Amino acid sequence: MNPLVFLGVLFGPLVLVVSYLFTAATGPGVPPWADVAGGAIRLYGTALAAIVAPIALHLDRLTVARQSDWVPSPIYYLVAVPFLSIPVSVVYLVRRFTSV
């Protein structure tokens, strides 16, 4: 697996968990910087995902083409489209693991 894909798989959920830990608590005991830190982490994570995700998708497609007898269709890039990502990724993963 391409390291960028691995990083994206781990980094996305981690950003969500950390940012919501900063902002989910309410009450007088919450430090005033927690909301700002949570917002900054979400903004940074979103920007990083928007930059890294297309590169990771393209590099993963090239890696699969190099390592197997199958070249993924450009339809594979629809993984980045909300609501299409689940069926496209299921078809892609089944095809990927059966072609190696």
Side-chain angles (χ1 to χ4, degrees):
M1 180 179 284
N2 190 299
L4 282 176
V5 175
F6 185 72
L7 177 69
V9 167
L10 291 179
F11 188 72
L14 180 65
V15 165
L16 286 176
V17 168
V18 170
S19 67
Y20 283 106
L21 285 177
F22 273 115
T23 58
T26 58
V30 177
W33 54 266
D35 189 36
V36 174
I41 291 170
R42 275 196 299 275
L43 179 64
Y44 173 73
T46 303
L48 187 63
I51 293 167
V52 171
I55 296 168
L57 283 171
H58 183 69
L59 290 177
D60 187 55
R61 184 173 180 252
L62 293 177
T63 302
V64 169
R66 234 181 287 124
Q67 294 178 353
S68 70
D69 59 346
W70 173 57
V71 178
S73 164
I75 293 173
Y76 163 63
Y77 294 118
L78 291 176
V79 166
V81 177
F83 301 111
L84 286 177
S85 61
I86 295 172
V88 171
S89 61
V90 167
V91 169
Y92 169 75
L93 287 174
V94 168
R95 179 75 169 121
R96 178 178 177 169
F97 289 126
T98 58
S99 70
V100 176

